[in-house]
């Protein structure tokens, strides 16, 4: 695993608690990493004040930025350890996720760290959360932090996809596990693998009277178990830490994370269309809302953000 040497921490200006900042400081202490505390702000009213000149509007924006910088400096005093190298950055931007990703790309950061919380289900349908944009479009790993400790000897849960044997999925599975093992070494944690496999299609059982649903289900289960076991063995992970369960990933992953009391779930996000759009829309976003621990989203090698210049 590439060490996280440069961390970009996105703070929440609406909250007194900053679990992402606290987690970043913890990570930085294990990697001798530098931290940039980042805040993207925007107030439409400043842009619409027609009675003010452009120069006056800019002065007002700079005043707001200065206030927020002072607030962040106070945060640094609260969360920083003496050996942490911490910088601050406040930008004026009307699309927070774009400013975060652009800053991460320009600064060659290794990890984006951001606090998250349960989204209102109705609003998550109408408005796409910044978390979702970051997972989908950031070219670097994104760690979404809940207010949940990482104790010594904790558990890291890797969501692997063995339903396909194509090279992209196998490579991404390997990358997920490599990140997990790197973190496990630093935090003395256990690495577990989880895989959800589909149940028997109801329409097959109805349309084909001779269809043996039990045999079909057992065959699928055994195939997934064999593939997960092989993957685990190649990384030196015990079969006792492999969990293959029937069901949708967005149900299986949170259920097992709760059962294990996992500190971190790691999953892959592979792009923007086809399978990946389904993964992001139907798995990752729901997993965020359903687990009470951190989530690390990993991109495959060679991924390019749509925000990067072509």
């Amino acid at each position: 695993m590439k060490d996280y040497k440069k961390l970009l921490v996105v703070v929440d200006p609406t909250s007194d608690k900053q679990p992402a900042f606290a987690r970043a400081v913890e990570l930085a202490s294990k990697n001798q990493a530098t931290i940039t505390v980042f805040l993207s702000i925007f107030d439409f009213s400043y842009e619409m004040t027609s009675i003010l000149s452009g120069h006056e509007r800019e002065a007002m924006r700079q005043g707001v930025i200065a206030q927020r910088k002072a607030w962040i400096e106070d945060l640094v005093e609260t969360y920083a350890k003496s050996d942490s190298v911490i910088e601050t950055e406040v930008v004026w931007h009307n699309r927070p996720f774009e400013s975060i990703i652009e800053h991460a790309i320009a600064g060659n950061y290794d990890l984006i760290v951001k606090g998250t919380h349960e989204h209102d289900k109705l609003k998550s349908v109408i408005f796409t959360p910044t978390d979702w944009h970051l997972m989908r479009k950031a070219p670097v790993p994104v760690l979404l932090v809940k207010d949940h400790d990482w104790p010594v000897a904790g558990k890291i849960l890797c969501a692997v996809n063995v339903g396909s044997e194509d090279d992209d999925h196998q490579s991404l599975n390997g990358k997920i596990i490599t990140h997990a093992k790197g973190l496990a070494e630093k935090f003395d944690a256990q690495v577990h693998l989880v895989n959800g496999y589909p149940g028997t299609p109801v329409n097959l059982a109805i349309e084909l009277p001779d269809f043996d649903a039990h045999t079909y289900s057992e065959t699928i289960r055994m195939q997934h178990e064999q593939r997960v076991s092989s993957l685990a063995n190649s990384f030196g992970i015990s079969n006792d830490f492999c969990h293959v369960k029937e069901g949708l990933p967005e149900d299986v992953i949170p259920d097992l994370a709760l059962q294990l009391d996992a500190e971190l779930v790691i999953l892959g996000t592979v792009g923007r269309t086809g399978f990946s759009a389904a993964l992001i829309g139907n798995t990752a976003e729901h997993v965020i809302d359903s687990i009470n621990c951190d989530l690390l989203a990993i991109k495959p090698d060679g991924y390019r953000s749509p925000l990067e210049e072509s």
Side-chain angles (χ1 to χ4, degrees), residues 164-194:
S164 171
E165 293 185 296
D166 69 66
D167 291 342
D168 287 343
H169 281 98
Q170 292 191 40
S171 174
L172 187 53
N173 285 337
K175 192 171 182 179
I176 289 168
I177 297 171
T178 300
H179 275 258
K181 286 180 71 69
L183 287 168
E185 289 174 8
K186 291 182 170 61
F187 290 91
D188 191 23
Q190 294 177 352
V191 175
H192 290 247
L193 307 186
V194 59

Side-chain angles (χ1 to χ4, degrees), residues 132-144:
W132 191 77
H133 276 299
L134 291 177
M135 284 196 301
R136 197 178 205 181
K137 299 172 183 175
V140 301
V142 177
L143 177 62
L144 297 174

Side-chain angles (χ1 to χ4, degrees), residues 116-296:
T116 190
H117 48 78
E118 292 185 359
H119 300 297
D120 181 285
K121 296 298 188 294
L122 180 60
K123 288 182 179 178
S124 71
V125 174
I126 300 171
F127 304 106
T128 305
T130 297
D131 301 349
W132 191 77
H133 276 299
L134 291 177
M135 284 196 301
R136 197 178 205 181
K137 299 172 183 175
V140 301
V142 177
L143 177 62
L144 297 174
V145 178
K146 290 193 175 182
D147 195 6
H148 183 110
D149 290 336
W150 279 11
V152 173
K155 297 177 179 68
I156 298 174
L157 185 58
C158 299
V160 295
N161 174 17
V162 297
S164 171
E165 293 185 296
D166 69 66
D167 291 342
D168 287 343
H169 281 98
Q170 292 191 40
S171 174
L172 187 53
N173 285 337
K175 192 171 182 179
I176 289 168
I177 297 171
T178 300
H179 275 258
K181 286 180 71 69
L183 287 168
E185 289 174 8
K186 291 182 170 61
F187 290 91
D188 191 23
Q190 294 177 352
V191 175
H192 290 247
L193 307 186
V194 59
N195 174 251
Y197 66 91
T200 304
V202 176
N203 61 318
L204 277 181
I206 294 174
E207 295 172 7
L208 302 174
D210 296 331
F211 179 73
D212 187 338
H214 177 72
T215 300
Y216 174 87
S217 179
E218 283 298 292
T219 301
I220 295 296
R221 179 185 61 79
M222 290 174 59
Q223 182 186 64
H224 279 249
E225 285 182 348
Q226 288 169 0
R227 289 180 179 178
V228 171
S229 178
S230 175
L231 182 62
N233 290 339
S234 67
F235 284 92
I237 297 172
S238 168
N239 282 338
D240 293 339
F241 295 161
C242 295
H243 310 271
V244 177
K245 298 180 180 295
E246 180 178 342
L248 297 171
E250 58 262 37
D251 296 325
V252 169
I253 296 169
D255 286 350
L256 184 61
L258 180 63
Q259 179 184 327
L260 294 177
D261 190 23
E263 278 63 63
L264 174 67
V265 169
I266 306 180
L267 51 72
T269 56
V270 298
R272 303 186 66 210
T273 59
F275 166 80
S276 59
L279 173 67
I280 292 293
N282 296 327
T283 300
E285 188 176 356
H286 293 303
V287 167
I288 290 173
D289 283 332
S290 303
I291 64 172
N292 190 31
C293 65
D294 294 1
L295 180 76
L296 179 61

